[in-house]
Amino acid sequence: MGSGLAKRFNQYSAWRDNVAGRAVAYRNWLEENELADAHTEAQIEQLLTRLADDKLTIAFVAEFSRGKSELINALFFSDYGRRLLPSSAGRTTMCPTELHWDPSMPPSIRLLPIETRAEQSDGDLQRDSDQWLTIPLELSDIEAMVGAFQRVRDTKKVSPTVARSFGLCSDEPSNGAVETTDGVVEVPSWRYAVINFPHPLLQQGVVILDTPGLNAIGTEPELTINLLPNAHAAVFVLACDTGVTQTDAEVWQRHLAVAPGRHATRMVVLNKIDTLWDGMRSPADIDGEIDKQMRYTAEVLRLPRERIFAASAQKGLLAKITNNETLLKRSRLAHLERRLADDLISRKQQIVRESARYDVSDLLIGTRTLLETRLHGVQEQLNELRGLRGRNLDVVEEMMIKVRDEKEDFEHALRRFQALRNVYSQQTNRLFTSLGMEALNEETKRVLDALRERWFSPGLKAAMLSYFTAVRQKLNAADKIIREIQRMMDTMYRQFATEHGLQLSAPVPFSAYRYLKEFERLETEFQMEFDKPLVMLTHEKMTLTQKFFGTVARQMQRMYQIANRDVEAWLRAVMSPLEKQIREHQLQLRRRLDSIKRIHHATDQLEDRVAELEQQESALMQQLEGLRHIAADMERTLDASDPPLAAAA
């Protein structure tokens, strides 16, 4: 792959593999030194899984005939020497299309029939495999592959009644349906396409989402609620000759506008600048016109000027295929490509870097604390035993009584710990009750039942509003319990550190803030969709309402599943260090007492025991030095970065 995008993604992929390699080396070192435990192994495995499953989703959004599919071809697929995605005059991408690579499945195009819009099923469209048409991709036959890609633009003719049952009413603009002269309606054959394709970039975790038109977004709630908000970047494509039209502005305002701090996740491309190459204007005049359009677009969309780009996807694709550097420069595609790569990869790498650094830091601190605790225990025993040299048995006996008293005090503290542990268990049970999937599913079912039975808005809105009220109460209750557990663990950590000298840093913090923010986003989406007063819903509007709420509910389920997983991991992380330190302290006390007992019964064993402890001290210091090297290697790997393509070009 010769493109700048491919180069930058290759660099990022190599960096990510290096981070995973250092994590594997750390795991192997722990096993060799018998320092691994179930909790540590689970943490490293989670880190490796996240790195292996790392995805980078780029959503391309535009109204019809803006050249969006051509732009995707030019940016990602020029090495094939021709267009892969359908791209021609008029409407080409008739349904939302997702391009990715899943090695567990064969190369294929999966198409979800438009008829599923009329069904009353609330199932996730991505998971109901029986509904999809699968077309195998013949990778060795480029013509057959291009023909298979063409299937995403299939249409069919249906009656206006059927079109309305699909949510494609012919009297609405930009809805994907066109009424013909004979009174029938031409509609897209598919409502969604998933292309599983082993392209080098897709193999590295890139996911491309090709989304056509305002109505395609509005009538597929999965796009509105899940796919677009969770994309790492969105590229909004406009036509340079038309600028920001009314429907363009509506798409932007409704689905893509973000807070100022998140502008880096948005790029706007004024495509088709070649329409200005009319042979009658000078290059300076053309550049001036393009700059004027870019400034106007930035003003209308309230974006920083540097987030607006101009290009000719068609000329850029042609230039790449024919190796025409002059045309490529004039198309401005290479500049767009460099900025997309630098912005997207740099931001994604920073997110992965900070996440991995947090995970690795937690692991390294745990291992270092364990080694330092063992070293402290060994050195404490050495100081005690060296102090017994030349002393009589009475002194040895006094030392034995002192250590035995410490052991009894610690066992008394353990009984208090067990009582607190019971309270902790009660709190965790309450926490998982608030985050229980069963209760959430019951709330969802209650609203869906109401949606099927009631046809006017007061009852419907009340049912749906009560759903959000109930979920908010559960999340707030969970947040309160999390804070109570945090305070309790703070107290336990301080007590054992102060009273028994355990090497304990502050417990891992946690907050339900991210789940509350996601809840607020979903609630806002709902309110935006249903803030208009309705007296009676038509059948097609009722169907869309059901699907919209079903999608909101599924996203809420996903959020709950993530929350449950994260809470379980946090509870293990917050309790594991304390339990590990308690076990280690118990072991050290037992060893100290055993050593003194042996010396009490046979004073000639004193020097043997001192020599044994000195060997342990040396081994522990070597392990700490090895750990320092591992930490330094990991830090260097995490901080490694490649020069921006723009600077390297």
Side-chain angles (χ1 to χ4, degrees), residues 240 243 291 380 410 530 572:
C240 190
D291 186 63
E380 192 174 41
F410 192 69
F530 299 105
R572 286 194 301 270

Side-chain angles (χ1 to χ4, degrees), residues 57-62 96 192 209-214 216-218 220-235 251 254-256 258 262 265-266 521 525:
T57 302
I58 311 172
F60 288 80
V61 183
Y192 204 82
L209 185 62
D210 184 1
T211 304
L214 175 61
I217 298 175
E220 287 295 351
E222 184 75 7
L223 286 171
T224 309
I225 302 299
N226 183 26
L227 297 177
L228 283 179
N230 290 323
H232 298 97
V235 179
V251 171
R254 178 67 197 278
H255 302 293
L256 297 175
V258 292
R262 295 197 64 219
T265 65
R266 299 291 184 263
R521 181 183 76 82
E525 288 282 357

Side-chain angles (χ1 to χ4, degrees), residues 270 288 290-300 305 308:
L270 283 166
I290 292 172
D291 186 63
K292 178 182 174 183
Q293 280 279 43
M294 293 170 76
R295 282 188 282 108
Y296 176 73
T297 301
E299 181 181 340
V300 171
R305 168 64 179 75
I308 313 296

Side-chain angles (χ1 to χ4, degrees), residues 438-645:
E438 186 176 345
L440 179 68
N441 291 338
E442 287 176 0
E443 289 290 337
T444 303
K445 183 178 181 301
R446 180 180 57 77
V447 178
L448 289 173
D449 287 344
L451 279 167
R452 294 187 187 99
E453 294 169 4
R454 302 174 193 172
W455 285 77
F456 18 154
S457 64
L460 286 178
K461 292 193 92 169
M464 288 187 278
L465 287 171
S466 68
Y467 170 84
F468 286 101
T469 299
V471 174
R472 185 189 298 106
Q473 289 173 347
K474 292 177 189 299
L475 288 173
N476 286 332
D479 184 50
K480 181 180 178 183
I481 296 167
I482 286 169
R483 284 186 271 114
E484 290 173 359
I485 293 174
Q486 184 83 51
R487 285 193 294 269
M488 183 175 69
M489 295 306 298
D490 284 339
T491 301
M492 290 169 68
Y493 271 54
R494 279 198 306 272
Q495 284 181 345
F496 276 94
T498 304
E499 296 174 11
H500 303 284
L502 269 60
Q503 305 290 311
L504 290 165
S505 54
V508 178
F510 190 78
S511 171
Y513 176 78
R514 59 176 290 201
Y515 315 115
L516 288 164
K517 290 298 291 182
E518 175 66 3
F519 166 80
E520 288 171 4
R521 181 183 76 82
L522 294 171
E523 186 178 34
T524 300
E525 288 282 357
F526 163 78
Q527 289 172 343
M528 288 175 64
E529 189 71 19
F530 299 105
D531 61 353
K532 297 174 183 176
L534 302 173
V535 178
M536 181 73 80
L537 295 178
T538 63
H539 183 274
E540 56 268 22
K541 290 292 185 184
M542 173 59 77
T543 299
L544 185 56
T545 300
Q546 290 174 337
K547 291 185 183 301
F548 189 92
F549 178 79
T551 304
V552 169
R554 283 193 298 277
Q555 189 62 17
M556 203 77 79
Q557 278 185 322
R558 293 180 189 128
M559 181 193 74
Y560 257 59
Q561 288 165 352
I562 293 170
N564 275 269
R565 182 197 67 199
D566 291 349
V567 165
E568 286 177 1
W570 172 67
L571 291 172
R572 286 194 301 270
V574 82
M575 185 56 77
S576 178
L578 182 57
E579 291 178 330
K580 194 182 295 184
Q581 287 285 308
I582 286 173
R583 286 195 302 270
E584 193 64 31
H585 195 69
Q586 279 182 305
L587 183 62
Q588 294 292 347
L589 284 171
R590 189 162 58 246
R591 285 174 176 169
R592 285 172 62 197
L593 189 58
D594 288 345
S595 294
I596 297 172
K597 279 181 179 178
R598 284 160 56 191
I599 294 163
H600 185 259
H601 290 102
T603 54
D604 59 343
Q605 291 190 5
L606 175 60
E607 293 305 323
D608 291 340
R609 182 58 181 155
V610 168
E612 183 183 330
L613 287 170
E614 285 174 342
Q615 286 183 347
Q616 291 180 20
E617 180 186 39
S618 176
L620 286 166
M621 291 177 72
Q622 287 178 6
Q623 288 178 334
L624 279 166
E625 183 63 23
L627 185 66
R628 276 191 284 272
H629 283 299
I630 288 171
D633 285 346
M634 178 61 81
E635 195 64 22
R636 279 193 296 271
T637 303
L638 286 171
D639 286 338
S641 60
D642 297 294
L645 290 174

